Amino acid sequence: MTEHTDGSGPSRRALIGWGGAGLALGAAAAGGAVAMARTGDDPDPAAAEAGGAVEFHGAHQAGIATPVQDRLHFAAFDVKTDDREEFVRMLKDWTAAARRMTAGKPVGESAFDGLAEAPPDDTGEAMGLKPSRLTLTIGFGPSLFDRFGLEDRRPEALVDLPKFPGDNLEKTRTGGDLCIQACADDPQVAVHAIRNLARIGFGKVAVRWSQLGFGKTSSTTPDAQTPRNLFGFKDGTRNIAGTETDRLRKFVWVGDGDAGDKDAWMTGGSYLVARRIRMNIETWDRTSLQEQEDVFGRDKREGAPVGKAKEHDAPFLKAMKPDAHVRLAHPDSNNGITILRRGYSFTDGTDGLGRLDAGLFFLAYQRDVREGFIPLQRKLSAHDALNEYIQHVGSAVFAIPPGVRDSGDWWGRSLFSKEA
């Protein structure tokens, strides 16, 4: 199939709108917005702080090594169509809409123009708002490969996660055929993006579950202040920075030689593990400061490892208790296992028993789940002192394809296009 966009700007939409023949959207550039340069793996932190637009095109998808934004709206979808051509058409429409929204532009002819007899192309709640560094990142779950004749294209590294000790997974917060991660500095911008993609996909996909996040708990910006989680601790001090191209190449991006012919479409991509981790806030808040620091292996004030003065001082792991979180999770305790974290805090009201439904929405990108999250989580779930205060209640894993390279490219082309 040919690309849906011609780069000349949006055409008049069909009267039936997105739900029928679709809308030809132009490959709009950032226009007057402040663009963040993204050459290869390297984001531009200075431009990121300007709050402008993040470049949509690149060898890798934005939203992975990109400087972490303040807000998240994550959605997992179930596919409702068996028509491969219709699904590909949706992916092209999604790409065209994402290209515009990340540039701070409305979908199609906005919420106000166009035919009065048809629904607007854009829902309108982000009109007048800045791009807010919006990034949109798509992923494909293991169950997608049971459809559309894709059985022989499922990557070997896209394995179903095993059940870990202590897991109490809720079916309504687990799995999904595909996902969209929307990150932005304005929550309304992130929510608008997911809302419009879900609307465009109506009849082809349906939201399975979603999660709002705030207060980023990880940083990919060199020398930045490490954010605190809802327990009040800095965690993930040595997270991979977006400028560390060597570490990204080693631990995050899928390389040319990682797989055989059926996996070649993933070159330049990554693998994402998403976990909804409920924190027992009330129990933690009644725990002594000393025990809290022993559980993490860090000082609460500075985030310094046990026996050290500053957060970034090299930890002496043997000075920590054997079940301390930092000691167990550190690469030196795990044969060098390293993941890129982009987690967010969440609070979703109460659980009906007077306790906060709050915690960490854990997002981890890696080159191979079998060599990253799985062995690391097996160790943590069996021995980590933190397990007394947390519980994993949601889980999903996704293959994150390479980036959209130019205006003629689209999400998933390397998987779905025979030419690719």
Side-chain angles (χ1 to χ4, degrees):
M1 299 178 67
T2 58
E3 165 56 14
H4 193 43
T5 61
D6 59 9
S8 61
S11 65
R12 294 292 297 176
R13 59 194 166 115
L15 178 61
I16 53 177
W18 282 105
L23 171 64
L25 288 179
V34 180
M36 187 184 90
R38 189 160 63 90
T39 305
D41 304 328
D42 298 334
D44 178 0
E49 292 174 1
V54 175
E55 174 58 47
F56 181 70
H57 300 125
H60 314 292
Q61 289 195 67
I64 303 174
T66 308
V68 184
Q69 303 93 322
D70 291 333
R71 303 291 182 140
L72 166 81
H73 191 187
F74 188 97
F77 295 82
D78 287 332
V79 175
K80 297 300 183 181
T81 179
D82 294 322
D83 187 328
R84 176 177 173 136
E85 185 173 345
E86 182 180 47
F87 184 71
V88 169
R89 171 81 281 134
M90 186 204 74
L91 290 177
K92 292 181 178 181
D93 287 343
W94 268 13
T95 306
R99 189 180 281 120
R100 292 187 62 88
M101 289 190 290
T102 55
K105 295 180 178 295
V107 176
E109 294 180 347
S110 87
F112 315 118
D113 301 319
L115 296 173
E117 297 80 7
D121 291 332
D122 189 284
T123 52
E125 72 275 20
M127 296 293 289
L129 299 179
K130 295 180 180 179
S132 300
R133 297 196 294 133
L134 172 67
T135 56
L136 293 168
T137 313
I138 195 171
F140 302 132
S143 54
L144 179 69
F145 294 86
D146 296 332
R147 297 174 170 271
F148 307 126
L150 297 174
E151 293 83 0
D152 61 347
R153 304 297 302 279
R154 176 174 171 174
E156 293 181 4
L158 186 62
V159 296
D160 294 304
L161 297 180
K163 180 175 175 56
F164 299 101
D167 277 3
N168 187 21
L169 303 183
E170 302 169 12
K171 186 176 181 180
T172 55
R173 297 186 184 274
T174 296
D177 293 329
L178 67 158
C179 72
I180 297 288
Q181 172 194 281
C183 298
D185 290 326
D186 186 328
Q188 188 147 316
V189 171
V191 170
H192 167 265
I194 294 294
R195 176 184 177 184
N196 277 271
L197 294 179
R199 179 180 56 86
I200 293 166
F202 182 77
K204 279 90 64 184
V205 296
V207 175
R208 179 181 178 87
W209 56 269
S210 67
Q211 181 66 58
L212 292 172
F214 67 92
K216 61 186 180 184
T217 61
S218 304
S219 173
T220 56
T221 304
D223 303 320
Q225 177 81 5
T226 302
R228 295 179 186 268
N229 57 33
L230 291 183
F231 284 160
F233 276 80
K234 297 179 179 181
D235 194 20
T237 293
R238 191 62 184 95
N239 197 35
I240 301 174
T243 53
E244 293 182 298
T245 54
D246 289 344
R247 293 183 81 202
L248 287 167
R249 189 178 301 111
K250 182 176 181 180
F251 297 114
V252 178
W253 307 132
V254 176
D256 290 329
D258 285 6
D261 291 341
K262 74 172 185 176
D263 302 53
W265 66 271
M266 272 294 293
T267 300
S270 189
Y271 292 94
L272 169 65
V273 171
R275 303 278 282 187
R276 189 179 193 269
I277 304 174
R278 173 83 180 270
M279 290 179 166
N280 301 323
I281 298 291
E282 292 76 16
T283 303
W284 179 262
D285 290 346
R286 294 193 296 270
T287 301
S288 70
L289 175 61
Q290 185 61 61
E291 183 173 343
Q292 289 183 2
E293 293 183 335
D294 287 344
V295 166
F296 272 97
R298 287 190 180 277
D299 148 72
K300 195 170 188 178
R301 179 190 296 271
E302 298 293 334
V306 171
K308 302 291 183 175
K310 298 180 180 179
E311 176 193 349
H312 292 280
D313 289 346
F316 180 53
L317 299 179
K318 291 184 178 180
M320 303 175 188
K321 290 186 175 295
D323 58 357
H325 178 71
V326 170
R327 179 170 180 173
L328 291 172
H330 197 277
D332 289 351
S333 300
N334 295 282
N335 298 315
I337 291 176
T338 302
I339 56 179
L340 188 155
R341 297 170 50 167
R342 286 187 66 98
Y344 287 83
S345 295
F346 71 84
T347 179
D348 292 334
T350 62
D351 64 357
L353 299 174
R355 300 174 299 191
L356 286 174
D357 181 4
L360 169 67
F361 190 64
F362 175 88
L363 296 168
Y365 288 89
Q366 61 240 271
R367 187 170 177 170
D368 192 324
V369 175
R370 299 167 298 180
E371 299 174 4
F373 178 80
I374 290 177
L376 183 60
Q377 182 58 23
R378 277 187 173 137
K379 185 173 187 178
L380 292 174
S381 61
H383 304 293
D384 193 352
L386 195 57
N387 292 333
E388 183 178 347
Y389 304 96
I390 64 173
Q391 189 168 61
H392 291 239
V393 296
S395 178
V397 59
F398 299 96
I400 308 299
V404 176
R405 293 185 177 262
D406 53 41
S407 62
D409 201 359
W410 44 276
W411 275 337
R413 182 187 61 84
S414 61
L415 172 61
F416 283 94
S417 172
K418 293 182 174 61
E419 294 79 10

